[in-house]
Amino acid sequence: MSNKQLTITASILAKTEKREFVKQALLKLIPPTLKEEGCLNYDLHQDNENPDRFFFYENWVSYDHWQQHNNSAHIAAHKKATEGAVIEVVIGQLTPVS
């Protein structure tokens, strides 16, 4: 595994009429994700100017830990459940500057 900490920003834009559904689905991701090996934090935010947009701010011990998260059963189930309710997902990968 890579030993560099990885910060992830995930921007999720929900369809207006599906906003609450998507919000609840995103909230359900938090408990199992926080139990994953290598997860340092997994914080969900909602945009103050566009309530249809949600952001996850995540920190992982390494890229490999984040990849294990992406391949987890709860992420697969989430993607299937929210198919058609989300307009876009934009992922940013950041590495701390030292």
Side-chain angles (χ1 to χ4, degrees), residues 12-15 17-18 21-22 25 75-89:
I12 302 102
L13 181 61
K15 292 182 177 177
E17 67 275 12
K18 298 288 186 178
F21 170 76
V22 171
I75 291 296
H78 168 80
K79 288 178 180 178
K80 185 175 181 180
T82 59
E83 190 174 335
V86 173
I87 296 169
E88 72 174 1
V89 177

Side-chain angles (χ1 to χ4, degrees), residues 64-76:
D64 292 340
H65 285 99
W66 178 60
Q67 285 303 298
Q68 290 173 12
H69 163 71
N70 287 332
N71 295 321
S72 68
H74 58 274
I75 291 296

Side-chain angles (χ1 to χ4, degrees), residues 6 18-19 21-22 30 33-35 39 43 47 53-54 57 66 68-69 71 74 85-86 88-89 94 97:
L6 180 68
K18 298 288 186 178
R19 176 192 313 142
F21 170 76
V22 171
I30 297 171
T33 299
L34 289 174
K35 293 177 184 174
C39 180
D43 303 326
D47 191 313
R53 186 169 302 278
F54 299 90
Y57 178 76
W66 178 60
Q68 290 173 12
H69 163 71
N71 295 321
H74 58 274
V86 173
E88 72 174 1
V89 177
L94 306 133
V97 177

Side-chain angles (χ1 to χ4, degrees), residues 50-68:
N50 180 358
D52 295 340
R53 186 169 302 278
F54 299 90
F55 292 91
F56 268 116
Y57 178 76
E58 315 167 26
N59 282 290
W60 295 89
V61 170
S62 70
Y63 176 85
D64 292 340
H65 285 99
W66 178 60
Q67 285 303 298
Q68 290 173 12

Side-chain angles (χ1 to χ4, degrees), residues 17-54:
E17 67 275 12
K18 298 288 186 178
R19 176 192 313 142
E20 191 59 31
F21 170 76
V22 171
K23 180 180 180 178
Q24 293 307 312
L26 293 170
L27 285 167
K28 288 178 187 176
L29 290 174
I30 297 171
T33 299
L34 289 174
K35 293 177 184 174
E36 290 180 54
E37 181 182 343
C39 180
L40 301 173
N41 70 291
Y42 194 73
D43 303 326
L44 180 62
H45 304 270
Q46 191 169 13
D47 191 313
N48 291 337
E49 294 181 10
N50 180 358
D52 295 340
R53 186 169 302 278
F54 299 90

Side-chain angles (χ1 to χ4, degrees), residues 4-15:
K4 286 189 176 182
Q5 181 178 322
L6 180 68
T7 298
I8 297 295
T9 58
S11 171
I12 302 102
L13 181 61
K15 292 182 177 177

